[in-house]
Amino acid sequence: MERMVNIAEACLYFEELMREVTERHETIIVEQDGQPRIVVLSVEDYRRLKAAQLRSPWEETLKEVQEMRARIQARRRGEPVPLPEDIIREMREERNAELTGLP
């Protein structure tokens, strides 16, 4: 989540803001004269962003695919995720059976 605070608030409540950033992974945008000036985020989030900058596009895509596969497996409650070619083959077999009336 992201929250805007003015510079006076940031100075007065900096310790509380640090707690929100570190414990709740909230991002704080500090504004001065109505303009955003700085962003306060956790070291963990900062390192994640820096690492993402250093990765090549294919590494980022691979990571996204792996994360997506993990989410699908979690939804399937540990049941293995079928390979795309197996799904396509099964769908073709079902279609052929429907068209020909043969199992």
Side-chain angles (χ1 to χ4, degrees), residues 41-65:
L41 64 148
S42 70
V43 171
E44 180 184 332
D45 290 341
Y46 171 76
R47 287 182 177 148
R48 184 178 45 77
L49 288 171
K50 289 297 281 184
Q53 285 179 340
L54 297 174
R55 283 195 293 266
S56 66
W58 70 268
E59 288 175 311
E60 189 64 30
T61 302
L62 178 61
K63 183 177 183 228
E64 290 172 7
V65 168

Side-chain angles (χ1 to χ4, degrees), residues 26-45:
E26 194 166 320
T27 300
I28 307 292
I29 298 174
V30 181
E31 57 182 25
Q32 183 179 29
D33 300 325
Q35 296 297 313
R37 298 293 181 193
I38 64 167
V39 176
V40 182
L41 64 148
S42 70
V43 171
E44 180 184 332
D45 290 341

Side-chain angles (χ1 to χ4, degrees), residues 11 15-16 19-20 24 26 30-31 38-39 47 60 64 70 81 83 85 90 99:
C11 290
E15 189 174 339
E16 182 182 323
R19 197 170 24 261
E20 290 176 20
R24 290 184 258 188
E26 194 166 320
V30 181
E31 57 182 25
I38 64 167
V39 176
R47 287 182 177 148
E60 189 64 30
E64 290 172 7
V81 178
L83 296 172
E85 52 269 22
E90 287 177 24
L99 291 174

Side-chain angles (χ1 to χ4, degrees), residues 7 18 24 30 36 39 47 49 66 72-73 96:
I7 193 166
M18 279 183 56
R24 290 184 258 188
V30 181
V39 176
R47 287 182 177 148
L49 288 171
Q66 290 169 337
I72 291 169
Q73 282 179 326
N96 291 343

